[in-house]
Structure formats: C-alpha cells, structure tokens
Amino acid sequence: KVLGVGGMGAVYRATQNKPHRQVALKLIRPGVLSSKSVRRFDLEAEILGRLHHPNIAQIQEAGIDPESGSPYFAMEYVEGQEMGDYVNEQNLSTRQRLELFVKLCDAIQHAHAKGIIHRDLKPANVLVDKDGEPKVLDFGVARATDTNSSGMTMQTNVGQLIGTLYYMSPEQAIGDTLNLDTRSDVYALGVVLYEIRTRKIPYDLENKA
C-alpha cells in the first residue's frame, strides 16, 4: 500500500520477513534517481540512524535494491492520525493538547542535541498512534549541523526555499541559510502549538505562497 508520495521518493506499507513486522518502506522514485537524490536519501537515512527517541519514528534497515540499484530504507510503521486531525477529532482538552505538544518538543530537543535540524515541522509530519503517542516523521529536508556525516552534509543554496511556508521562520522563508539554526524549528513548534490550540494558522498567507 502507498502511504505517501513526495518530490523525491515514495513510502509504502510493507512486510519485513526477518523479523516479521510491518514497516514503512521509503524508495527513491525511478524518475528522480540521480547522484544528488541518492546523496540526500543517504543523508536522511544517516540522520534517522542517529535518532533514538520514543517520539521519533525509528529507522530499522537500509540498503540497495539489487534490481534497480535504488537505495531504500525501512522505518517503524506508525498507524495513526496526523496531529491536527487527532487533537480535534478526539476533542482533547487544553491540558491534553499541551501534554502531547510537550512530547513533541522533547523529541525535537533530542534531534537538536544530536546535531539535527528538522526544517519541516508541521502537524502533517507528526502522527499520533493508537496509544496517543506522537511520532515525528519525514526528515527528508533535515540538516546536520556538524561535519561528521561521512562527508554527506548537503549545503542549501542561499535563496532556496526548504520547508512549508506556513511554518517557516522569517530567515527560512527568505532563504537565509547562514542564519538558519535550531531556532527555526522552535519557531515552527510555536506555529504548531498555535494551530493545535486554536485550529487556525497565526498568519493569513493565502495567495502569498
């Protein structure tokens, strides 16, 4: 089953044979297979390998498909709802919403401590599972803040827009990569909190994207 399709890859629900379990399998789409996309894909897998937190979806295996030569990695399969839908459909109280948000903050603090900036935090990238636990997903545009990524840390060109406009900090929105750091994630968390508390975005950006 297809779980999602992005600009670079597609994610499928799959069965891993050994050990037998359900996984989310991410593959580069054949039409965008290039040396640059492979480097970005490898970096995402390495970034996920650094992160070990109960509220971040875990990577479980990575490799190369022998037939197509395309890299893949398998992640923890999370069956749940996007955070925004979950808090509204479950009609959570303010306290319950804040408790959920605190867990999200703790997960992002873990990523920051490991030298990782997510760069695309939003309710759609957080699934809440059947036990009510949030799981941060999609580190596809994340950036490592150190140089210990096996030489794979990718530079973003000045002026290049990375992320989702509604949740971008000002420096991220103007493509100021030199001043983009963990505070950009903190800004995005603020927008997420505003949204899950009020059911709306703090700024009207319609027709401005």
Side-chain angles (χ1 to χ4, degrees):
K1 176 183 177 181
V2 178
L3 297 176
V5 178
M8 187 179 72
V11 181
Y12 303 87
R13 180 177 177 177
T15 300
Q16 186 176 15
N17 290 327
K18 294 182 180 180
H20 186 82
R21 59 186 172 186
Q22 297 293 294
V23 297
L25 185 67
K26 186 166 185 177
L27 298 161
I28 294 181
R29 295 191 292 113
V32 295
L33 188 60
S34 66
S35 58
K36 183 177 180 180
S37 65
V38 169
R39 287 197 305 274
R40 164 51 65 188
F41 200 82
D42 286 345
L43 179 58
E44 183 180 0
E46 179 171 316
I47 282 172
L48 288 168
R50 292 188 187 186
L51 304 177
H52 301 282
H53 190 280
N55 299 117
I56 296 176
Q58 301 294 296
I59 190 169
Q60 295 173 333
E61 184 181 328
I64 302 290
D65 176 27
E67 294 185 8
S68 66
S70 176
Y72 70 86
F73 58 80
M75 292 183 61
E76 171 187 1
Y77 172 66
V78 181
E79 187 169 3
Q81 286 181 286
E82 293 182 2
M83 188 176 187
D85 295 335
Y86 178 84
V87 298
N88 293 328
E89 291 185 18
Q90 297 294 322
N91 196 27
L92 299 188
S93 66
T94 296
R95 181 181 182 87
Q96 290 171 320
R97 291 171 194 244
L98 291 175
E99 288 173 346
L100 196 66
F101 181 73
V102 166
K103 292 181 179 180
L104 173 59
C105 290
D106 192 62
I108 298 307
Q109 170 61 26
H110 172 77
H112 290 172
K114 295 292 185 178
I116 305 300
I117 309 171
H118 188 284
R119 297 205 294 180
D120 197 18
L121 289 171
K122 54 187 177 183
N125 281 340
V126 182
L127 288 183
V128 183
D129 68 18
K130 58 183 176 59
D131 297 319
E133 290 294 320
K135 297 278 187 176
V136 183
L137 308 173
D138 199 352
F139 283 78
V141 297
R143 192 177 79 179
T145 59
D146 56 48
T147 57
N148 297 320
S149 299
S150 303
M152 293 190 301
T153 299
M154 298 185 68
Q155 298 299 321
T156 304
N157 295 329
V158 174
Q160 183 180 357
L161 214 57
I162 298 291
T164 303
L165 186 61
Y166 287 95
Y167 304 90
M168 287 184 184
S169 63
E171 65 274 12
Q172 190 172 358
I174 64 173
D176 184 4
T177 58
L178 296 178
N179 287 314
L180 196 153
D181 55 30
T182 56
R183 291 172 294 181
S184 293
D185 278 353
V186 175
Y187 180 96
L189 284 170
V191 180
V192 171
L193 176 59
Y194 188 98
E195 183 177 359
I196 66 171
R197 181 64 187 91
T198 67
R199 305 190 183 195
K200 61 183 180 181
I201 298 289
Y203 301 110
D204 179 10
L205 297 178
E206 188 174 355
N207 301 321
K208 295 182 175 62

